[in-house]
Amino acid sequence: MELRNYQKSAVQSVISHFKESNESAVLTLPTGAGKSLIISKLSQLANNRVLVLAHVKELVEQNSQKFKYYGLNYSIFSASLNQKNSSAKVVFGTVQSVAKNLSNFNQKISLLIIDECHRVGKEKNSEYLKIINYFRLKNRRLKILGLTATPYRTDLGWIYKYHYNGYIQSEKQTPFSKCIFDLPISKLIREGYLSTPIQVNPPKDRYNFNTEDDLYNYESLNKQIEQSPRITKAIIEHLKKIAEERLGVMIFASSIQHASEIHTYLGNESYLITGNTSLSDREAIISGFKNQNKKFLINVSVLTTGFDAPHVDLIAILRKTESVSLYQQIVGRGLRLHPKKTNCIVIDYAANNHDIFQPEIGKKPKNPNVKIVQVQCPICGFQNLFWGILDPHENIIEHYGRKCKGININQNKNEQCSHYFKSKECPQCGGTNDIAARTCSNCNFQLIDHDNILKKAYDLSNQDVFVCAGITYSSAKNGIFLTYHDENGQEFTEITPQIHTEAFHEFFKPYFSNQKIQNFSDFEKYFSFMKYPDFLILEKRKLKWVIIHKIFDYVGLKRKANQI
Ligand SMILES: [Zn+2]
Ligand SMILES: [Zn+2]
């Protein structure tokens, strides 16, 4: 089995990476790139034991089938495939079965391959992490490789930190360390490995989503669609016409109700799969669709991964998606090669306006005019890709980038370039900070704009500002009553959390710089060292006023109590 050139490059990048490093790595490959061939080749090349994980049995089957070609020994560990054999040098398993039976894996493995690795979350008790930790304990030089088409998750962000093109993808904690290979879908199409997508504009009748609402929120989107049955009907009429000359049509609906509605308009010509469809029904439907018994297949976000019907040559998108890579995955369902098709028509009735070929660069700002723009860093020269706005001559008017993503190698360590495109200067030390920083990274000074908070509280009818001039206290049953006094003789009393609790200790942190306060006697002892807040922001909740914010160490234009 000869690998394609880019598949060889992907394999080579894995070998070179793990030769030098034990850091976990990710291959980003679009649907249709032949992931299972790359997985088999790597499993064949590995010197020691390999475990290949997938979240569904279909992928376990697919990956092991490709490996079979090499004529090497392998085994399958998956309850849903009725096989639990962990003896071979290469084991293909489902995550659930392996996590539940780790004691069946006594020997150490050298390579752990995780298919659809964007599913590896950050939860400490996830099945993936359980497996990773188990094998890391057996072999601290364990190599972990993930493969995915969608390395960016709208809920958790990027799944890796560094990109091999020399930039930082995420400053947060990520499940994987580095993306070592990234294949654009356009390359696969150009080289003839995928069918060409043709974007057709929908007619006037399409969903005019109210952009004020959160369109990515299932509930509000659903409401809007339910309120427009006339439009759904018109869309399906239009789709039927386009479909006359087509072999197979996949429709991506917004909700189960929406999908059922579409199903009633298409009747006997269509299959319907939702999250409620039983596994056996689903298998029957998929094989019927692949045999082209019916032309239309309607689904609700269940067939975005791992489903493969090469004859599909029309994709109709009737749902919103915030994620470019999810959008590309949907389109990818129609890009498989098939002898009877020349291209794949894509109609986006939900006006997502994503570009099929656009690289994923993270969360898109709400502004509808944003495009991807290239911004060079004045310090390190790195060409950053950010969301931004262009004028008619393609000059950048503004961009949403904050910090340069370039990497400087400093004493063999990756260090992110320190340039901020938008920054906040610290009034105390003059250092530059991220525009959203709350404290100075240099001197810990609070960077929140106090005057803004005060102005808002003065303006809002349900908020008020209490100018604090002093504090008195008395002991309460399990805590302490603190009474704040202003210069006009008004007072406001609150009770602290229960003594000896973490909450009590946390409560007093801003009041004392060095002393740890755990109970009433600590408090009395250090009372004279206590600083008090300059302002309290109060908010009316039902009939009661509560403190929602305390401003300590105020710097700004307002006059504090006791100040001339
Ligand atoms: Zn830079
Ligand atoms: Zn500072």
Side-chain angles (χ1 to χ4, degrees):
M1 202 165 8
E2 183 67 12
L3 293 188
R4 298 169 181 170
N5 281 337
Y6 68 83
Q7 291 169 335
K8 285 181 191 157
S9 317
V11 168
Q12 195 48 51
S13 69
V14 176
I15 296 170
S16 335
H17 172 76
F18 285 135
K19 205 177 259 176
E20 286 174 12
S21 167
N22 293 323
E23 283 184 325
S24 54
V26 171
L27 299 176
T28 304
L29 299 160
T31 312
K35 266 186 312 171
S36 38
L37 274 177
I38 295 170
I39 290 174
S40 316
K41 187 70 192 170
L42 288 167
S43 309
Q44 184 229 348
L45 290 173
N47 288 327
N48 295 303
R49 288 181 166 265
V50 182
L51 173 61
V52 181
L53 290 177
H55 68 292
V56 288
K57 65 167 189 198
E58 286 80 9
L59 283 176
V60 170
E61 271 177 325
Q62 208 180 91
N63 290 332
S64 58
Q65 285 304 315
K66 288 281 162 22
F67 187 71
K68 212 177 191 168
Y69 166 86
Y70 291 105
L72 296 169
N73 190 18
Y74 71 93
S75 61
I76 285 178
F77 202 95
S78 163
S80 41
L81 292 172
N82 294 320
Q83 291 182 62
K84 281 192 185 172
N85 184 344
S86 60
S87 63
K89 193 194 136 212
V90 178
V91 179
F92 295 88
T94 40
V95 180
Q96 299 84 341
S97 299
V98 173
K100 268 194 213 112
N101 300 284
L102 283 170
S103 55
N104 290 37
F105 293 81
N106 296 320
Q107 307 196 49
K108 73 172 188 185
I109 59 169
S110 63
L111 176 62
L112 176 64
I113 298 179
I114 304 175
D115 201 355
E116 301 287 341
C117 69
H118 55 274
R119 306 180 67 91
V120 179
K122 286 173 187 162
E123 316 84 51
K124 280 204 186 82
N125 50 358
S126 83
E127 289 175 322
Y128 286 102
L129 288 194
K130 209 173 139 193
I131 296 170
I132 290 171
N133 292 337
Y134 177 82
F135 287 108
R136 263 224 180 102
L137 269 180
K138 288 198 175 293
N139 176 11
R140 61 184 183 83
R141 302 222 305 259
L142 174 70
K143 321 282 195 218
I144 302 172
L145 176 72
L147 294 92
T148 183
T150 52
Y152 178 79
R153 287 175 51 163
T154 48
D155 54 346
L156 295 175
W158 291 97
I159 63 163
Y160 60 83
K161 200 171 184 65
Y162 302 105
H163 191 278
Y164 68 108
N165 281 345
Y167 59 92
I168 294 239
Q169 193 65 280
S170 171
E171 289 172 54
K172 297 186 198 149
Q173 259 220 309
T174 54
F176 292 87
S177 177
K178 189 176 178 185
C179 172
I180 56 170
F181 188 81
D182 193 347
L183 182 70
I185 204 167
S186 54
K187 190 177 157 86
L188 286 177
I189 294 167
R190 230 179 15 245
E191 296 187 0
Y193 295 120
L194 287 179
S195 191
T196 307
I198 296 186
Q199 272 172 300
V200 169
N201 286 328
K204 274 202 313 303
D205 277 322
R206 65 174 190 198
Y207 299 115
N208 267 321
F209 294 111
N210 176 5
T211 44
E212 301 274 289
D213 281 5
D214 185 2
L215 291 180
Y216 306 115
N217 175 308
Y218 177 79
E219 304 251 313
S220 73
L221 176 65
N222 215 4
K223 208 181 288 161
Q224 292 203 32
I225 285 171
E226 275 169 23
Q227 284 162 359
S228 42
R230 191 189 58 78
I231 296 175
T232 303
K233 194 164 186 201
I235 284 174
I236 298 306
E237 289 307 317
H238 176 258
L239 183 63
K240 270 178 164 169
K241 232 173 249 142
I242 305 264
E244 277 167 15
E245 312 266 289
R246 295 275 133 180
L247 300 170
V249 185
M250 279 184 81
I251 301 173
F252 292 84
S254 301
S255 67
I256 294 179
Q257 294 93 307
H258 185 220
S260 313
E261 186 194 343
I262 296 169
H263 192 44
T264 60
Y265 299 143
L266 287 169
N268 271 338
E269 298 169 78
S270 65
Y271 292 112
L272 171 66
I273 291 188
T274 72
N276 294 342
T277 311
S278 76
L279 226 53
S280 56
D281 284 353
R282 191 186 289 201
E283 276 169 20
I285 289 172
I286 288 176
S287 84
F289 181 65
K290 282 183 173 178
N291 290 331
Q292 303 183 37
N293 297 344
K294 294 181 184 180
K295 190 182 264 186
F296 296 88
L297 176 58
I298 309 157
N299 87 101
V300 189
S301 60
V302 283
L303 298 179
T304 40
T305 54
F307 167 83
D308 196 11
H311 76 286
V312 171
D313 56 357
L314 173 53
I315 298 278
I317 304 170
L318 279 74
R319 57 164 286 181
K320 270 281 171 192
T321 169
E322 189 180 6
S323 147
V324 180
S325 31
L326 182 62
Y327 183 83
Q328 290 171 343
Q329 276 213 312
I330 289 175
V331 174
R333 299 297 122 207
L335 302 186
R336 295 302 174 100
L337 298 177
H338 184 272
K340 283 198 189 142
K341 87 184 200 199
T342 47
N343 56 40
C344 175
I345 291 180
V346 178
I347 314 181
D348 178 5
Y349 291 101
N352 287 291
N353 291 326
H354 291 309
D355 179 345
I356 295 174
F357 302 114
Q358 178 209 298
E360 173 78 82
I361 68 161
K363 199 173 169 63
K364 196 173 180 177
K366 283 239 185 315
N367 188 327
N369 300 320
V370 293
K371 290 201 166 69
I372 291 184
V373 299
Q374 195 169 339
V375 185
Q376 185 170 21
C377 171
I379 305 297
C380 72
F382 180 73
Q383 298 282 357
N384 290 277
L385 292 180
F386 294 132
W387 290 109
I389 296 170
L390 298 170
D391 72 6
H393 307 289
E394 305 261 297
N395 298 313
I396 299 170
I397 301 171
E398 66 165 306
H399 66 78
Y400 289 79
R402 300 212 299 237
K403 194 174 186 188
C404 173
K405 294 184 164 200
I407 294 176
N408 306 318
I409 311 259
N410 196 354
Q411 293 170 338
N412 274 333
K413 277 184 93 178
N414 289 330
E415 270 181 11
Q416 182 170 12
C417 171
S418 58
H419 179 66
Y420 288 98
F421 291 96
K422 285 183 187 155
S423 61
K424 205 189 261 178
E425 192 177 308
C426 169
Q428 184 159 293
C429 74
T432 43
N433 289 280
D434 188 288
I435 192 84
R438 298 171 72 88
T439 53
C440 174
S441 61
N442 194 27
C443 71
N444 276 330
F445 186 78
Q446 278 221 352
L447 294 172
I448 300 164
D449 188 347
H450 292 152
D451 282 339
N452 238 342
I453 299 174
L454 288 174
K455 185 177 178 305
K456 202 179 128 212
Y458 278 118
D459 288 349
L460 288 171
S461 61
N462 65 334
Q463 287 193 0
D464 204 0
V465 177
F466 188 95
V467 186
C468 182
I471 298 184
T472 53
Y473 66 90
S474 59
S475 77
K477 194 164 168 239
N478 286 313
I480 302 170
F481 286 117
L482 292 182
T483 302
Y484 303 91
H485 302 266
D486 77 1
E487 290 177 311
N488 306 321
Q490 298 209 53
E491 52 181 64
F492 187 90
T493 300
E494 70 169 335
I495 184 165
T496 66
Q498 206 172 325
I499 54 167
H500 289 300
T501 60
E502 190 56 33
F504 182 84
H505 174 217
E506 282 296 315
F507 177 92
F508 276 117
K509 266 191 180 165
Y511 291 78
F512 294 90
S513 17
N514 299 312
Q515 299 82 5
K516 193 171 176 184
I517 309 297
Q518 282 173 310
N519 52 41
F520 189 68
S521 69
D522 287 347
F523 177 77
E524 280 207 299
K525 193 160 118 198
Y526 296 118
F527 180 68
S528 56
F529 296 102
M530 183 169 89
K531 69 180 173 197
Y532 56 82
D534 297 310
F535 299 96
L536 305 176
I537 310 292
L538 307 178
E539 191 174 274
K540 199 170 191 177
R541 300 262 169 91
K542 287 185 185 150
L543 292 172
K544 235 180 99 188
W545 288 88
V546 294
I547 299 175
I548 56 161
H549 193 75
K550 295 168 185 170
I551 298 180
F552 289 87
D553 303 316
Y554 170 78
V555 245
L557 305 167
K558 287 263 172 325
R559 181 189 162 273
K560 299 198 278 187
N562 313 324
Q563 219 174 28
I564 306 163

